[in-house]
Amino acid sequence: MKKIFLFTLFCLVAQIHVFACTNFLVGKKASLDGSTIISYSADSYALFGELYHWPAKKWAKGDMLKVYEWDTGRYMGEITQPAQTYNVVGNMNEHQVTIGETTFGGREELADPDGIMDYGSLIYITLQRAKNAREAIKIMTDLVAEYGYYSGGESFSIGDPNEIWVLEMIGKGKGNKGAVWVAVRIPDDCISAHANQARIQQFPLNDPENCIYSKDVISFAKEKGYYKGKDADFSFAKAYNPLDFGGQRFCEARVWTFFNRYNKDMAKFVTYAQGKTQEPMPLYIKPDRKLSIADVQEMMRDHYEGTELDWTNDVGAGPFKSPYRWAPLTWESDSVQYCNERPVATQQTGFVFTSQMRSWLPDPIGGILWFGTDDADQTVFTPMYCSITEVPECYREGNGDLYTFSWTSSFWIQNWVSNMVYNKYSYMHPDLEKVQKELESKFFAEQDKTDKEALALYEKSSEQAVQFLTKYSGEQAQYAFDKWKKLGEFLVIKYMDGVVRKEKDGEFIRNEHGKPSSPQRVGYPKEFYRQVVKETGDKYKVLY
């Protein structure tokens, strides 16, 4: 979502998010099972995590759609409806088309306050209208050309069961309706990523199968003075989103950690991720091995562990080695500016997903949105098939909001648990991870059987298959919700008041008389006590 420069606030009223959102993309020949994969974390302190749903519908000629800005709810205007819209579950539609995003902001003078289409509405309106990725690109670019583009610069991940694309777009300023943009197809055997920094550098000018762009994307940059040179050397990223320290350390570093995990040659770009060198990373790379959907889910939980950006072992991590720091990203000490790292997994996530698009299955069965609310590291990716016609109660829109706590809302239960874990991470996260792995292992183990049952029903009636998958998805969401609520109760009891109560296999141990056993007074790790002594000397020394 919205980007600020390191020392200067990027000041547009609608842009309320800061260095938010991460997308990872996997081509079908780079995945273990042949599926295409897109991941997305919707990161914003102002975003409530819920699963959006638009049912398929036919529209009469002249029907209009009121557009409201996704971030703020502000009314933007009206656009015409097509004759038919498709079923949409979250960020995936019934044809397995998936769209994610990250906002890079870019040149603020190019924002158009008169545009009707904001980036969020553009995503969800397009999902209701597109049957494949290429069609989605055309719909998105046609919509902004006709109605104007309101938001800042945006990178979109657009995929279907056969293709993965990155589309980068920015407006043309007040009084100049439309946008300049370029879309590049990610090769099938490659992976890609973007995280709030424009990533398309030079692109082929005569390869429409793999690259599409607005006719004025280069000429407009020249007209505005953003670029002088040959068309063949033009870089979209350099012209419309010039790199700064924040763009590297807070944004490109997240791309680097993904690339570095799956390609050993990417280790050399660590200095780029740190903001020390400026040679950009490629838009996409070939991984050293094929990725599973579980690999991508695990990557969404990354905090730079085991890399030069790992920050779990310094004083800022506290005694319990937390991989989190509280906002803001930058801070000052003795008139010197410093920063926190901005990892992939972050506390401000509203919802997160990994979409699995499978060409060998009928669309209602092939598309799975593995969905979770809150921080990716603290959530459970639960299978929501793209054809479902009802949203589970725990994900339902309107079941609570940021100012209304609900004990039946997944977002609130996840936050209840994660906010216990953050400050005692090294003690409590293993208990969370145990339940997380148990649930996700269950879902993966059931996937083949569920697909086969749905396929057998689909051969008789597509409606029966959809009903079956709607029921299955709802049951899994409720099962995960109930388990997580029990986890929260368990953590409260086990770690209440700073001690650790003894348990075995989730059952608390009682004494021979049936009473609770004496808890362990665990205190703090030895390294923390050494630091206390180093800073306080003999102040707390026991004298006799």
Side-chain angles (χ1 to χ4, degrees):
M1 297 163 178
K2 309 308 176 197
K3 176 182 173 181
I4 59 169
F5 293 112
L6 181 57
F7 305 119
T8 306
L9 182 64
F10 182 68
C11 217
L12 285 173
V13 173
Q15 296 183 326
I16 58 175
H17 304 296
V18 181
F19 289 115
C21 304
T22 305
N23 284 194
F24 298 144
L25 304 88
V26 181
K28 62 183 180 179
K29 291 182 180 179
S31 71
L32 203 58
D33 66 351
S35 60
T36 54
I37 300 170
I38 290 175
S39 74
Y40 174 46
S41 61
D43 301 338
S44 167
Y45 290 107
L47 180 66
F48 186 76
E50 51 198 351
L51 185 61
Y52 312 130
H53 177 234
W54 292 268
K57 189 173 180 179
K58 294 186 182 296
W59 301 90
K61 187 176 181 180
D63 281 344
M64 303 295 289
L65 172 68
K66 293 182 184 298
V67 178
Y68 297 89
E69 188 188 11
W70 185 46
D71 284 334
T72 67
R74 172 181 178 268
Y75 175 67
M76 307 291 286
E78 290 186 337
I79 67 172
T80 56
Q81 285 281 25
Q84 173 74 56
T85 54
Y86 306 125
N87 189 68
V88 177
V89 179
N91 288 59
M92 178 184 267
N93 74 14
E94 64 180 274
H95 299 292
Q96 303 190 61
V97 176
T98 299
I99 306 177
E101 60 79 28
T102 73
T103 299
F104 60 80
R107 297 185 182 274
E108 59 184 276
E109 68 271 20
L110 298 184
D112 178 7
D114 301 319
I116 288 178
M117 300 305 304
D118 67 289
Y119 77 98
S121 299
L122 193 58
I123 289 173
Y124 297 112
I125 290 170
T126 299
L127 284 169
Q128 293 174 66
R129 302 177 179 210
K131 287 187 175 181
N132 57 55
R134 289 175 186 263
E135 189 171 88
I137 294 168
K138 185 176 190 316
I139 290 169
M140 293 172 80
T141 54
D142 284 352
L143 282 171
V144 298
E146 183 174 358
Y147 297 107
Y149 180 57
Y150 175 75
S151 298
E154 198 78 25
S155 299
F156 296 97
S157 300
I158 305 171
D160 62 34
N162 293 299
E163 297 183 350
I164 296 286
W165 290 74
V166 172
L167 164 66
E168 294 195 326
M169 173 187 296
I170 194 166
K172 299 164 74 172
K174 183 175 175 59
N176 198 354
K177 189 168 67 172
V180 286
W181 55 271
V182 58
V184 174
R185 183 184 176 188
I186 306 305
D188 293 342
D189 59 351
C190 289
I191 61 175
S192 185
H194 53 88
N196 309 117
Q197 175 67 38
R199 303 218 60 250
I200 297 177
Q201 301 285 345
Q202 287 73 30
F203 52 90
L205 302 178
N206 296 296
D207 185 7
E209 280 300 303
N210 298 294
C211 182
I212 317 166
Y213 52 92
S214 60
K215 62 182 181 181
D216 59 346
V217 66
I218 300 175
S219 61
F220 181 77
K222 289 181 175 180
E223 175 189 323
K224 299 293 287 186
Y226 303 149
Y227 177 69
K228 296 178 181 178
K230 298 178 180 178
D231 287 2
D233 297 329
F234 176 77
S235 163
F236 181 93
K238 289 179 181 177
Y240 294 113
N241 187 206
L243 196 65
D244 64 3
F245 177 81
Q248 291 182 253
R249 189 64 169 262
F250 302 146
C251 305
E252 290 283 79
R254 284 175 275 154
V255 175
W256 172 78
T257 194
F258 179 49
F259 284 1
N260 182 58
R261 178 83 64 94
Y262 293 106
N263 184 310
K264 61 182 182 300
D265 295 333
M266 293 304 294
K268 66 185 179 183
F269 284 99
V270 65
T271 52
Y272 174 73
Q274 293 170 320
K276 297 176 180 178
T277 57
Q278 277 68 54
E279 180 189 354
M281 294 180 292
L283 176 62
Y284 50 80
I285 61 168
K286 289 185 179 181
D288 292 334
R289 65 174 178 86
K290 295 186 176 184
L291 282 67
S292 67
I293 190 75
D295 289 329
V296 180
Q297 290 173 0
E298 191 61 28
M299 197 66 233
M300 293 302 290
R301 294 172 170 140
D302 183 73
H303 308 102
Y304 303 122
E305 287 90 347
T307 75
E308 291 88 336
L309 276 68
D310 189 339
W311 60 343
T312 59
N313 294 302
D314 61 44
V315 65
F320 302 108
K321 298 185 180 297
S322 175
Y324 297 89
R325 304 287 190 279
W326 308 136
L329 273 172
T330 60
W331 45 279
E332 186 176 301
S333 179
D334 297 328
S335 300
V336 178
Q337 289 278 346
Y338 297 91
C339 68
N340 294 327
E341 301 295 358
R342 186 354 185 144
V344 176
T346 178
Q347 62 269 18
Q348 74 256 32
T349 301
F351 65 82
V352 61
F353 70 74
T354 52
S355 69
Q356 187 176 18
M357 298 160 278
R358 300 176 292 174
S359 61
W360 62 94
L361 288 168
D363 286 335
I365 305 167
I368 303 179
L369 192 78
W370 296 87
F371 184 78
T373 53
D374 193 34
D375 178 358
D377 185 45
Q378 318 283 331
T379 197
V380 176
F381 287 97
T382 306
M384 298 288 107
Y385 280 80
C386 69
S387 56
I388 66 174
T389 56
E390 294 178 18
V391 170
E393 173 62 19
C394 60
Y395 299 146
R396 178 180 58 82
E397 289 184 78
N399 184 4
D401 60 33
L402 279 179
Y403 291 165
T404 308
F405 188 94
S406 170
W407 282 110
T408 59
S409 160
S410 177
F411 176 85
W412 277 119
I413 294 301
Q414 299 283 166
N415 271 279
W416 173 51
V417 171
S418 61
N419 278 274
M420 281 191 274
V421 172
Y422 286 142
N423 291 319
K424 271 202 168 180
Y425 191 87
S426 62
Y427 279 8
M428 299 176 76
H429 193 266
D431 290 316
L432 181 151
E433 190 175 9
K434 181 180 178 181
V435 177
Q436 191 180 63
K437 287 183 176 179
E438 173 191 327
L439 287 167
E440 291 176 353
S441 295
K442 170 189 181 297
F443 299 148
F444 286 131
E446 293 176 352
Q447 186 176 8
D448 186 57
K449 177 176 178 291
T450 304
D451 289 346
K452 287 178 179 177
E453 288 184 31
L455 191 56
L457 288 170
Y458 183 84
E459 290 171 352
K460 299 174 185 176
S461 163
S462 60
E463 185 177 336
Q464 287 184 38
V466 169
Q467 290 174 352
F468 168 76
L469 293 172
T470 299
K471 183 173 184 289
Y472 175 79
S473 297
E475 288 173 347
Q476 304 323 300
Q478 189 61 46
Y479 182 78
F481 175 87
D482 291 342
K483 282 281 190 180
W484 217 253
K485 192 172 181 181
K486 283 291 184 185
L487 170 63
E489 295 168 0
F490 172 81
L491 293 174
V492 168
I493 296 170
K494 183 174 180 179
Y495 296 100
M496 183 172 57
D497 296 335
V499 297
V500 178
R501 287 167 176 80
K502 299 174 184 177
E503 54 89 15
K504 183 177 181 181
D505 299 326
E507 294 292 329
F508 291 102
I509 298 172
R510 296 177 181 270
N511 65 21
E512 64 270 25
H513 307 294
K515 296 291 185 179
S517 61
S518 180
Q520 296 172 284
R521 292 162 173 78
V522 293
Y524 295 91
K526 290 180 179 179
E527 296 87 348
F528 180 75
Y529 283 129
R530 290 193 187 99
Q531 187 66 28
V532 171
V533 172
K534 182 178 179 181
E535 292 189 13
T536 63
D538 292 341
K539 181 177 180 179
Y540 301 112
K541 186 175 182 180
V542 176
L543 300 178
Y544 58 90

